[in-house]
Amino acid sequence: RGIVELRRSFEEYHVVKCLGCDRLSFLRIIQVENIVDEYGDPSPFYFNYPNDQLNEGYSYDFLSADDMSALPVMISELYKEVAKAFNANSDILSGIGLRTLVEAVCINQKITGKNLKERIQNLHKMGLVSKKEEPILDKLRLIGNVSAHQIKSLGMEQLEHALNIVNHIIKSIYILPMLDKKIII
């Protein structure tokens, strides 16, 4: 049993920006001289400030930068705002944002109706969502209504499920058609 002296080989500092939500953070990289991986290569330590897990252990599955580039500007900008609300653990704003994203998709797709419930039904009639997806999207409308009008939240864990639903809808309406155009037979 001995004491191993750890000496730093180098220390680097970077300001980095998330490509999904545009959040800026500070990255510190420390390489310790005698710490290596299984191949003998240096194995640095990475520290991200503010802490990577700002939202109590949740790591949300946001759309990738490539997916975001396929979205109309209005939806992309709104999505970034919703991602910021999630990353800030703002449950009320996250719920309102998800509902607003559904509304934005309807507006962008020129879906008409006297209210969002009717526009969601028309998304199905226009073939943009399946019959099974329609009631799920209506739940997102209700989540946003409860967040906005009753100032209540379902909690970040349930909102994360709702985010995954929004991601699915956005991918099926915007990203899959773009990928389909890239496949040439």
Side-chain angles (χ1 to χ4, degrees):
R1 295 183 188 203
I3 297 175
V4 176
E5 181 182 334
L6 299 177
R7 288 180 279 157
R8 291 183 180 154
S9 298
F10 72 84
E11 199 163 334
E12 290 181 10
Y13 304 93
H14 303 273
V15 175
V16 294
K17 182 178 181 180
C18 174
L19 294 175
C21 68
D22 287 337
R23 187 177 90 183
L24 292 175
S25 62
F26 180 75
L27 178 65
R28 178 180 177 204
I29 306 170
I30 299 173
Q31 174 61 53
V32 178
E33 186 177 292
N34 46 352
I35 301 221
V36 294
D37 64 16
E38 65 268 19
Y39 304 107
D41 295 325
S43 183
F45 296 95
Y46 297 90
F47 302 94
N48 201 17
Y49 306 96
N51 187 344
D52 286 324
Q53 297 304 319
L54 197 68
N55 27 39
E56 300 176 14
Y58 285 102
S59 179
Y60 303 108
D61 187 21
F62 297 116
L63 296 175
S64 70
D66 283 344
D67 288 345
M68 293 290 288
S69 68
L71 301 180
V73 173
M74 171 182 69
I75 293 174
S76 174
E77 293 302 314
L78 180 58
Y79 190 93
K80 288 176 189 175
E81 288 186 34
V82 172
K84 287 177 186 176
F86 269 86
N87 284 327
N89 210 24
S90 297
D91 49 355
I92 302 288
L93 294 177
S94 297
I96 294 168
L98 291 172
R99 182 200 188 281
T100 307
L101 272 168
V102 173
E103 186 102 39
V105 167
C106 291
I107 291 169
N108 177 262
Q109 294 295 313
K110 297 176 179 36
I111 303 298
T112 59
K114 64 182 177 189
N115 54 38
L116 185 54
K117 182 176 180 74
E118 196 173 287
R119 286 191 290 276
I120 289 169
Q121 292 168 349
N122 290 337
L123 274 172
H124 166 65
K125 289 177 185 171
M126 296 297 291
L128 294 170
V129 298
S130 73
K131 188 66 178 162
K132 288 182 180 181
E133 293 167 330
E134 183 185 325
I136 296 170
L137 277 180
D138 197 52
K139 277 187 183 177
L140 295 177
R141 176 186 66 82
L142 295 173
I143 289 169
N145 288 351
V146 167
S147 294
H149 302 298
Q150 298 176 21
I151 319 303
K152 285 184 178 178
S153 170
L154 297 174
M156 293 308 290
E157 189 173 338
Q158 287 192 51
L159 289 171
E160 181 178 17
H161 298 309
L163 173 67
N164 291 332
I165 293 165
V166 167
N167 286 345
H168 169 78
I169 297 301
I170 288 174
K171 285 179 181 180
S172 70
I173 292 175
Y174 297 102
I175 291 131
L176 290 179
M178 179 204 55
L179 293 174
D180 182 47
K181 289 179 184 175
K182 292 181 178 182
I183 298 174
I184 300 169
I185 299 177

